[in-house]
């Protein structure tokens, strides 16, 4: 349980809708939101503040949408931490995932709070967005496809858009090996096959974003976990 009461309340509120999607979905939501520092950091750092049209590529069961929805409700209810920037309250929140079960859980839990598309981020139309979030997804697609996705994300963003991207840093030693091991074990358990992953050092990810015109910064994003994850924030100047 988070020591920060505001975060603990958000975790409860964001997980609650998943009761509608079954026990697995609810437990998974609580476990992931409790253990993953990225969700609280996105709000605490105001990384999506002001975003009105958010696209979550590789959305899984829609946790980001649930999280942002809980944040907007908390703000309207007057229970938002005074020292945090305002949360976004997007008019449009779209998630895309290639896994039909994840999309079904997102739809069952969140209904009209988001639009959840069953599709491959390499092929679906992105439409316009002012924020694009890609958390722990790009290493599942090959290097050329990663670059194509980033080019299309850049094109989809408006003039002052933001791109949030979490990656494992391929130069980070044991933490990196552990994160890829977990991905491989999950794939083996779920799909009964060995997974090829396409990872890069953070400096290479940043160079790619810079080439596309983003100003980047990187925030370490694995506190409380044994991994070596980094949240890259790309802004269009
Ligand atoms: C580690 S999970 C992260 C889920 C979510 N971003 C989060 O942080 O909770 C990776 C997700 O990417 C999805 N994914 C992998 N390759 C994809 C692709 N080519 N198109 C769409 N989704 C993909 C998987 O189905 C999975 O739900």
């Amino acid at each position: 349980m988070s020591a920060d009461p505001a975060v603990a309340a958000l975790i409860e509120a964001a997980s609650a809708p998943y009761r509608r999607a079954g026990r697995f979905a609810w437990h998974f939501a609580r476990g992931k939101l409790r253990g993953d520092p990225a969700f609280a950091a996105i709000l605490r750092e105001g990384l999506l503040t002001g975003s009105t049209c958010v696209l979550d590529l590789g959305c899984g069961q829609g946790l980001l949408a649930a999280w942002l929805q809980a944040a907007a409700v908390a703000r309207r209810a007057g229970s938002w931490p005074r020292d945090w920037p305002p949360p976004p309250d997007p008019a449009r929140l779209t998630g895309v995932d290639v896994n039909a079960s994840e999309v079904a859980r997102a739809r069952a839990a969140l209904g009209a709070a988001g639009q959840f598309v069953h599709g491959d981020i390499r092929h679906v139309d992105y439409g316009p967005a002012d924020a694009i979030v890609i958390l722990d997804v790009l290493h599942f697609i090959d290097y050329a496809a990663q670059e194509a996705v980033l080019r299309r994300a850049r094109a989809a963003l408006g003039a002052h858009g933001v791109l949030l991207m979490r990656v494992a840093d391929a130069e980070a030693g044991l933490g990196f090996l552990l994160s890829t091991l977990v991905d491989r074990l999950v794939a083996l358990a779920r799909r009964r096959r060995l997974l090829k992953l396409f990872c890069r050092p953070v400096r290479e990810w940043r160079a790619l974003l810079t080439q596309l015109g983003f100003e980047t910064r990187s925030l370490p994003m694995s506190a409380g976990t044994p991994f070596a994850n980094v949240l890259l924030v790309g802004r269009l100047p």
Side-chain angles (χ1 to χ4, degrees):
M1 180 60 76
S2 171
D4 181 334
V7 174
L10 282 172
I11 291 170
E12 287 311 307
S15 325
Y18 288 95
R19 287 180 186 279
R20 291 194 283 272
R23 285 181 64 78
F24 172 82
W26 181 61
H27 283 291
F28 181 82
R30 279 163 53 102
K32 181 86 198 288
L33 293 172
R34 282 176 175 173
D36 186 338
F39 292 92
I42 285 171
L43 295 178
R44 205 183 272 125
E45 301 283 327
L47 300 178
L48 293 178
T49 294
S51 300
T52 58
C53 192
V54 177
L55 175 62
D56 184 8
L57 295 178
C59 64
Q61 65 173 30
L63 290 179
L64 181 73
W67 186 247
L68 297 185
Q69 178 180 242
V73 169
R75 176 118 194 276
R76 286 196 289 273
S79 54
W80 192 246
R82 285 207 194 128
D83 53 342
W84 286 20
D89 191 358
R92 191 176 167 85
L93 214 155
T94 306
V96 180
D97 204 283
V98 76
N99 183 326
S101 316
E102 300 276 8
V103 173
R105 285 195 288 274
R107 288 177 181 157
L110 302 171
Q115 189 195 359
F116 298 99
V117 177
H118 176 217
D120 190 315
I121 61 169
R122 291 170 294 187
H123 308 306
V124 294
D125 180 19
Y126 294 173
D130 57 6
I132 297 185
V133 182
I134 317 176
L135 298 179
D136 309 332
V137 179
L138 285 181
H139 58 300
F140 291 116
I141 60 178
D142 69 39
Y143 294 117
Q146 292 170 355
E147 289 163 28
V149 163
L150 291 177
R151 271 196 304 276
R152 291 177 58 221
R154 167 68 186 87
L157 286 172
H160 304 292
V162 64
L163 174 68
L164 303 184
M165 209 173 103
R166 186 166 60 184
V167 293
D169 183 358
E171 281 179 338
L174 186 61
F176 169 71
L177 290 178
L178 280 173
S179 63
T180 52
L181 181 67
V182 169
D183 280 333
R184 289 196 167 101
L185 289 176
V186 169
L188 196 59
R190 287 188 182 169
R191 292 187 248 165
R192 307 265 174 256
R193 70 176 173 89
L194 283 174
L195 196 62
K196 183 158 190 221
L197 299 174
F198 302 88
C199 304
R200 302 174 189 252
V202 160
R203 59 180 172 77
E204 205 174 299
W205 286 116
R206 287 185 77 166
L208 270 178
L209 295 183
T210 304
Q211 273 169 28
L212 289 171
F214 289 98
E215 284 179 352
T216 68
R217 65 189 176 114
S218 67
L219 308 173
M221 205 45 68
S222 39
T225 76
F227 308 130
N229 292 328
V230 168
L231 186 67
L232 292 174
V233 183
R235 287 197 187 273
L236 295 169

